[in-house]
Amino acid sequence: MDSDIDNLMGHIGEFGKYQMRQFLLHILAGGTAGVHMLSLVTVAATPDHRCLVDGVESAFNATYNDPDMRQYIPVVDGEFDSCHLYDSNNDTITCNQWVYDNQYYRSSRVIDWNMICDHRWMAAVSQSVFMFGVFTGAVVLGSLADRFGRKTIFCLSGLLQLILGVSVAFFSEYYSFLFMRYLLGIFGSAGAYITGFVLTMELVGPSKRTICGISFQASFALGVMLVALWGALIGDRVMLQVVYGLHSLLIIPHFWIMDESPRWLWSQGRIHEAVSIVERAAKINGQDAPDRAFYVSRGMSGMRTKEEMELNTPKAGIIDLVRTPNLRAKTLNCALNWFANSIVYYGLSLNTGKLLGNPYLMLFIVGLVEWPSYIATVLLMDRTGRRSLISSTMLLGGFACLLAVFIPNGTVVTVIVMIGKFFIAASFAIIYNYTAEMFPTVVRNTALGVGSMCARLSGALTPMIGLLDSLDKTLPTVIFASLALLAGALALFLPETAGKPMPQTLEEGEEFGKGDTAFSSCFGGARRRTASLAVPEQSTPRNDIALNIRD
């Protein structure tokens, strides 16, 4: 029974030396995930470029900023047109050879394959394919981790992301490269990151799960900073990708030094193994060892009644999220928040090269600015409540992005974009806990799954939306900002969950938060109808908790 494993885990405390050691092993996967997720920002960077004027210059001696080329190439806003030049009749035509600005990028997939102008879609698809790999990995590897164990999938993913992360550097054919990127998305960002997160959530006490969960996101941001650091130091895109892939070497020793989740072992009937791990953990933490005979007896008894309990437990699924009006409204509202958070987060992260200044420095700052954001979130979330904080951070992030559209490119725009990233990172961190607290136990993991799917979908669409800048340079940013503003405004209609008992059944979930909006709270409207709900027992974490991460 769940209460037995909870009691067993109580022997090691909330967060001692043992949990710290295991947590530091798990969180390494957050850093490698960040590296793989944003690696194309440098490996497939798009430098400034202009047409090569054949017959006037050659590819071997041409320089991007040659002022003599202004008579052959149109100039737009003081810059060379990237894709057109004048023919002998002074008509504008499309070119098929280019000169790249090598101030920051001397080697790139974009340069190798000329993924610019009419072929810009190739670079966007490369990132979108990776995101679809993340989606596949979350669904497939999550189920496999439930079946074969968290440690098994974690270590397998670490090995495969090492192999794929290094080998993808040597693929010179575009569609083979896409396939490898898809596989890398499965194992490089979804596999070890998800199972590492679950291992931590199943090991630490309830009071430590919020800070540990946000620490995984901070580790992801550190991975983004490493992408920028190595990109600035290594000029060759092949060697750069190899270095990114080699980060996964950090995960290989985990096979020998990391423990399986005692909760998962218990759920599989491997009671002796679960108790042995807890005994060792209790010793490291200086706690009293559990009574082995008692817990083995209880565990075996619980396994005998597990099947009968499952047969008598009513099933609930995704349809129940939209079957009744209140749950349906909360589901759609939360889904929009997940979608908007992800699309703005990755929209800002993937487009740092368009900011004025050193693109490596811009990317580094984009990762760095998330750290104070997460610290502020941890300090404020329980004080201000979820609703007001997620709404305000989404609105402020949206306003910052929208404001950047109307300011000429420069240092001020860069500062505003970083402010926007600060707020979006905060709201993205909040939505995980908020969703889990809002929905009843019987569909809580399903609700997280729906939100996570929306986030992955928007993450895959982000590079494609970026292509709309060919119509209007401000259009992608306006779309990102509008979604953030819409989601932030609608979040005010969600119920507050801080300090409230979480609903357990579908009936309680439908009643939870009825009449409770930011406006009813401010103006003395209806009180929440959840006050009479009993506080549920702490449930054993399942692998679906894996959906409670940024992906």
Side-chain angles (χ1 to χ4, degrees):
M1 291 181 288
D2 285 350
S3 59
D4 292 325
I5 181 60
D6 285 337
N7 291 333
L8 176 64
M9 296 299 292
H11 286 275
I12 64 175
E14 294 256 319
F15 195 87
K17 291 182 180 179
Y18 175 78
Q19 288 100 322
M20 174 60 79
R21 294 175 186 177
Q22 294 294 309
F23 168 67
L24 292 177
L25 295 176
H26 303 159
I27 202 172
L28 289 175
T32 60
V35 168
H36 293 305
M37 181 74 80
L38 274 296
S39 62
L40 278 192
V41 173
T42 54
V43 172
T46 304
D48 289 336
H49 50 278
R50 64 167 176 84
C51 292
L52 175 72
V53 183
D54 194 22
V56 177
E57 58 183 350
S58 71
F60 300 102
N61 61 15
T63 57
Y64 172 75
N65 289 314
D66 187 346
D68 293 336
M69 295 301 108
R70 289 178 176 265
Q71 59 182 308
Y72 304 103
I73 302 172
V75 176
V76 181
D77 296 330
E79 301 290 337
F80 285 116
D81 188 309
S82 300
C83 305
H84 302 91
L85 76 166
Y86 296 123
D87 64 9
S88 57
N89 297 321
N90 214 32
D91 294 325
T92 302
I93 60 172
T94 302
C95 59
N96 54 18
Q97 296 183 78
W98 292 268
V99 177
Y100 292 93
D101 183 0
N102 60 8
Q103 180 181 4
Y104 298 112
Y105 306 111
R106 289 178 170 81
S107 177
S108 164
R109 288 282 186 183
V110 167
I111 297 174
D112 293 346
W113 290 332
N114 288 323
M115 296 192 295
I116 53 178
C117 298
D118 292 341
H119 293 91
R120 288 180 63 209
W121 61 268
M122 296 172 66
V125 169
S126 299
Q127 186 63 36
S128 293
V129 161
F130 183 91
M131 294 292 191
F132 282 118
V134 177
F135 175 86
T136 304
V139 174
V140 175
L141 296 183
S143 299
L144 291 178
D146 278 336
R147 182 176 180 182
F148 298 107
R150 283 74 163 111
K151 179 181 176 180
T152 300
I153 299 303
F154 182 101
C155 295
L156 175 64
S157 296
L159 176 62
L160 289 175
Q161 70 175 241
L162 172 63
I163 295 171
L164 293 168
V166 172
S167 61
V168 72
F170 302 100
F171 278 74
S172 57
E173 196 275 324
Y174 177 69
Y175 291 101
S176 300
F177 170 73
L178 286 186
F179 180 66
M180 293 298 290
R181 286 283 300 171
Y182 175 73
L183 294 179
L184 184 58
I186 294 175
F187 299 102
S189 189
Y193 188 17
I194 284 177
T195 47
F197 185 92
V198 173
L199 280 162
T200 292
M201 293 299 104
E202 293 185 340
L203 190 62
V204 304
S207 67
K208 305 300 180 183
R209 287 176 188 158
T210 296
I211 190 169
C212 285
I214 290 181
S215 295
F216 264 80
Q217 300 185 48
S219 177
F220 184 97
L222 177 61
V224 175
M225 296 160 65
L226 287 172
V227 169
L229 179 62
W230 287 118
L233 295 175
I234 302 174
D236 180 70
R237 64 95 178 157
V238 175
M239 183 56 64
L240 181 58
Q241 179 60 58
V242 169
V243 170
Y244 290 155
L246 289 176
H247 282 76
S248 299
L249 280 172
L250 295 171
I251 299 179
I252 302 303
H254 288 46
F255 180 80
W256 295 278
I257 60 179
M258 189 177 79
D259 288 334
E260 179 57 271
S261 164
R263 291 183 181 274
W264 180 80
L265 291 169
W266 185 279
S267 71
Q268 299 300 304
R270 296 162 62 175
I271 309 300
H272 288 280
E273 295 175 69
V275 174
S276 295
I277 291 175
V278 173
E279 285 177 335
R280 184 169 68 255
K283 181 178 179 181
I284 293 174
N285 286 351
Q287 303 286 338
D288 294 333
D291 185 333
R292 169 175 283 272
F294 170 78
Y295 281 107
V296 169
S297 174
R298 292 287 295 176
M300 293 302 181
S301 174
M303 289 303 298
R304 287 192 294 269
T305 61
K306 181 179 179 181
E307 183 176 350
E308 179 183 349
M309 291 173 64
E310 290 179 348
L311 289 174
N312 293 330
T313 301
K315 303 295 182 181
I318 191 171
I319 298 299
D320 294 291
L321 290 173
V322 295
R323 193 188 303 277
T324 53
N326 190 32
L327 275 173
R328 180 166 57 248
K330 290 185 291 187
T331 299
L332 294 176
N333 202 329
C334 281
L336 175 62
N337 263 273
W338 281 84
F339 187 93
N341 270 287
S342 177
I343 207 166
V344 177
Y345 178 89
Y346 287 114
L348 293 175
S349 299
L350 295 173
N351 289 288
T352 53
K354 298 179 181 180
L355 297 175
L356 185 65
N358 188 313
Y360 301 112
L361 179 60
M362 294 301 103
L363 182 61
F364 186 88
I365 296 175
V366 159
L368 182 63
V369 77
E370 293 188 38
W371 283 51
S373 173
Y374 296 141
I375 293 173
T377 300
V378 171
L379 295 176
L380 293 175
M381 197 159 64
D382 290 332
R383 291 177 170 85
T384 64
R386 280 61 162 145
R387 178 176 60 205
S388 60
L389 192 58
I390 194 171
S391 177
S392 59
T393 51
M394 284 289 285
L395 290 172
L396 289 170
F399 278 125
C401 291
L402 197 59
L403 184 61
V405 172
F406 300 102
I407 297 177
N409 198 14
T411 304
V412 176
V413 171
T414 301
V415 172
I416 292 173
V417 169
M418 296 305 171
I419 292 173
K421 183 65 183 297
F422 175 93
F423 288 119
I424 290 300
S427 64
F428 211 169
I430 299 165
I431 190 62
Y432 300 121
N433 290 61
Y434 198 15
T435 301
E437 294 167 350
M438 195 181 309
F439 290 91
T441 302
V442 291
V443 288
R444 182 167 297 126
N445 292 329
T446 302
L448 285 167
V450 170
S452 182
M453 286 166 51
C454 292
R456 293 188 184 98
L457 174 61
S458 64
L461 291 176
T462 301
M464 301 301 181
I465 293 175
L467 296 177
L468 295 177
D469 65 359
S470 60
L471 302 175
D472 185 329
K473 290 185 178 181
T474 65
L475 186 56
T477 305
V478 169
I479 292 175
F480 299 150
S482 299
L483 284 170
L485 293 172
L486 177 62
L490 291 178
L492 294 172
F493 293 92
L494 291 171
E496 181 54 69
T497 62
K500 300 298 176 182
M502 292 189 294
Q504 298 187 76
T505 66
L506 288 173
E507 291 75 17
E508 291 175 347
E510 174 62 17
E511 290 299 310
F512 186 88
K514 274 190 175 180
D516 176 24
T517 69
F519 309 102
S520 64
S521 299
C522 290
F523 298 107
R527 294 182 177 272
R528 246 167 284 169
R529 301 186 184 187
T530 56
S532 61
L533 295 177
V535 179
E537 293 181 359
Q538 179 66 33
S539 60
T540 304
R542 308 293 185 191
N543 193 54
D544 295 344
I545 291 178
L547 298 168
N548 185 10
I549 63 170
R550 173 191 20 234
D551 36 37

